[in-house]
Amino acid sequence: MMESYQQTIEKAAEVSLPWERLSGKNILVLGATGLIGSTVVDVLMNCVSLDFDVYACGRNEQRAQQRFAAWWTNPRFHFLRHDVTQPWEWPADFHFIIDAASGASPQLYTSDPVGIIRANILGVDRLLDEGRKRHLEKFVYVSSGEVYGEGDGRPFTEDYSGYVDPMSVRSCYPSSKRAAETLCVAYGQEYGLDVSVARPSHVYGPYFTESDNRVYAEFIRNVLRGEDIVMKSDGKKFRSWCYVVDCALALLFILLKGENGKAYNIADESSNRSIRDLAEMIAAIGGRKVRIELPKDAAATGGTPITKAVFDTSRLRSLGWQITGTMEEKMSATINEAAHALKG
């Protein structure tokens, strides 16, 4: 049976984890108005029996007020308006940090590559440098599966490293993510900080923004407008996918059980599929069709050069993290939630 976003959030907040580690502590979530960060905040705020405070940090206060309307006046919730590339005075000691502050919209990789690099490197450096002075107990950096680059067809394990062209502007994203990961382990080595890295696959879920041009968001907007999905490629690129609530819970497993200095892949291995298959699924749910219209100039579509990116999640599952439900059920819930938000 298909569960709503809220039902999956409530179940996530009840999963057996050493939540007591958070008791009396301050948890900072950066990138809190983004797809992944906002879902982490929702899970944490649904842990109603615990006495920790959640600090949600983002740049857009208006979006935050809309997204966190249910929590805005809750004494455990605090919104911090801040750009991670800028210096700032912490309003409190943050004992646990999940850093999901990064531009994840592919259009930014060519329109603002310098901003992408600064958010990934300067942001991490400022957080860890301040954290080492302020009782930081655990830092989780939300990296990306794009750090693996172009592989050789095998599922990516955390010790794998494929090819990334450093002279491509689009490499601003994977290259700076790689550098930020190394910066995390460098702080761990030099200053004794407890740091772990998360590498999510392609993540989908509700509450994506109007400016989000990732393929699943574009496809959903098509069907909600009553349009067929028009693909500008053959859709053969093959990906691992993960529902955002499953991803958020994985981050909390890494926060509370992850090993220092380790990276963890996050993906639903039962949801591996091509972009074409994804489009067909979303179109079927929305009662529409898929059409392919290839541009005359193949380079005009842009996008990642990576043809296949599937993830091995053995290391994460060894912590006790599990996936339940199907991608079709979760995509249906995503579309229903997005339709409801559109009407609201």
Side-chain angles (χ1 to χ4, degrees):
M1 187 177 82
M2 184 181 75
E3 294 180 322
S4 69
Y5 171 82
Q6 183 57 33
Q7 287 173 318
T8 57
I9 286 288
E10 291 169 359
K11 286 179 65 175
E14 295 173 354
V15 167
S16 178
L17 274 171
W19 298 107
E20 65 277 1
R21 288 188 60 194
L22 303 180
S23 181
K25 302 299 175 65
N26 297 323
I27 300 93
L28 174 64
V29 181
L30 298 111
T33 58
L35 179 66
I36 295 174
S38 63
T39 306
V40 172
V41 171
D42 280 342
V43 176
L44 289 170
M45 290 304 298
N46 270 274
C47 297
V48 294
S49 63
L50 299 171
D51 63 348
F52 57 81
D53 280 20
V54 177
Y55 289 79
C57 180
R59 292 179 296 178
N60 189 329
E61 186 166 356
Q62 182 179 1
R63 174 166 168 75
Q65 287 179 320
Q66 296 171 341
R67 180 63 180 83
F68 301 125
W71 314 122
W72 202 257
T73 60
N74 189 305
R76 291 178 51 229
F77 177 85
H78 315 269
F79 178 73
L80 304 176
R81 184 176 178 275
H82 182 68
D83 182 331
V84 296
T85 64
Q86 302 302 313
W88 63 317
E89 191 68 34
W90 284 13
D93 287 346
F94 299 125
H95 307 100
F96 294 87
I97 296 177
I98 295 177
D99 180 15
S102 178
S105 184
Q107 66 187 15
L108 295 175
Y109 304 162
T110 53
S111 66
D112 187 24
V114 174
I116 292 291
I117 293 171
R118 284 175 173 166
N120 286 333
I121 298 178
L122 289 181
V124 170
D125 183 49
R126 295 189 193 283
L127 289 166
L128 289 174
D129 190 50
E130 187 69 15
R132 70 185 179 88
K133 310 168 189 174
R134 299 282 295 269
H135 312 292
L136 178 63
E137 296 181 24
K138 179 73 177 186
F139 184 89
V140 174
Y141 177 59
V142 183
S143 183
S144 168
E146 287 214 24
V147 299
Y148 293 118
E150 180 62 71
D152 58 7
R154 79 181 92 168
F156 294 140
T157 53
E158 288 83 356
D159 58 354
Y160 184 86
S161 182
Y163 175 71
V164 173
D165 178 7
M167 294 303 291
S168 165
V169 171
R170 197 197 178 283
S171 295
C172 65
Y173 187 70
S175 293
S176 60
K177 286 288 190 182
R178 284 182 168 187
E181 288 190 10
T182 306
L183 187 59
C184 287
V185 295
Y187 265 95
Q189 170 70 25
E190 189 165 343
Y191 299 109
L193 293 181
D194 189 343
V195 296
S196 294
V197 168
R199 293 174 181 162
S201 61
H202 290 259
V203 178
Y204 66 95
Y207 301 112
F208 52 86
T209 66
E210 275 303 313
S211 61
D212 190 334
N213 68 337
R214 285 173 288 190
V215 289
Y216 91 92
E218 295 278 16
F219 294 163
I220 289 176
R221 279 194 286 266
N222 285 145
V223 300
L224 291 182
R225 289 194 295 257
E227 304 167 351
D228 288 340
I229 293 173
V230 179
M231 297 184 61
K232 301 297 184 180
S233 72
D234 59 17
K236 291 182 179 179
K237 290 179 178 178
F238 199 81
R239 302 285 183 259
S240 283
W241 294 86
C242 190
Y243 184 49
V244 69
V245 180
D246 295 322
C247 178
L249 185 58
L251 292 175
L252 292 167
F253 265 86
I254 297 168
L255 184 75
L256 296 171
K257 299 181 72 174
E259 187 176 341
N260 189 8
K262 292 288 187 181
Y264 294 86
N265 288 337
I266 302 176
D268 176 0
E269 291 174 273
S270 69
S271 296
N272 296 342
R273 62 196 64 216
S274 70
I275 303 299
R276 176 65 186 267
D277 288 342
L278 176 74
E280 295 284 2
M281 176 197 298
I282 293 173
I285 294 169
R288 308 304 302 180
K289 296 179 180 179
V290 175
R291 294 186 287 115
I292 295 180
E293 296 179 2
L294 297 179
K296 293 180 180 179
D297 179 7
T301 57
T304 173
I306 299 171
T307 55
K308 182 177 181 180
V310 296
F311 296 64
D312 181 299
T313 61
S314 302
R315 181 177 290 176
L316 177 61
R317 286 186 280 109
S318 73
L319 302 180
W321 178 79
Q322 299 178 30
I323 289 280
T324 59
T326 68
M327 187 177 187
E328 288 78 5
E329 292 168 341
K330 294 168 184 177
M331 188 61 75
S332 293
T334 295
I335 293 171
N336 288 343
E337 196 78 29
H340 178 74
L342 192 64
K343 292 176 182 176

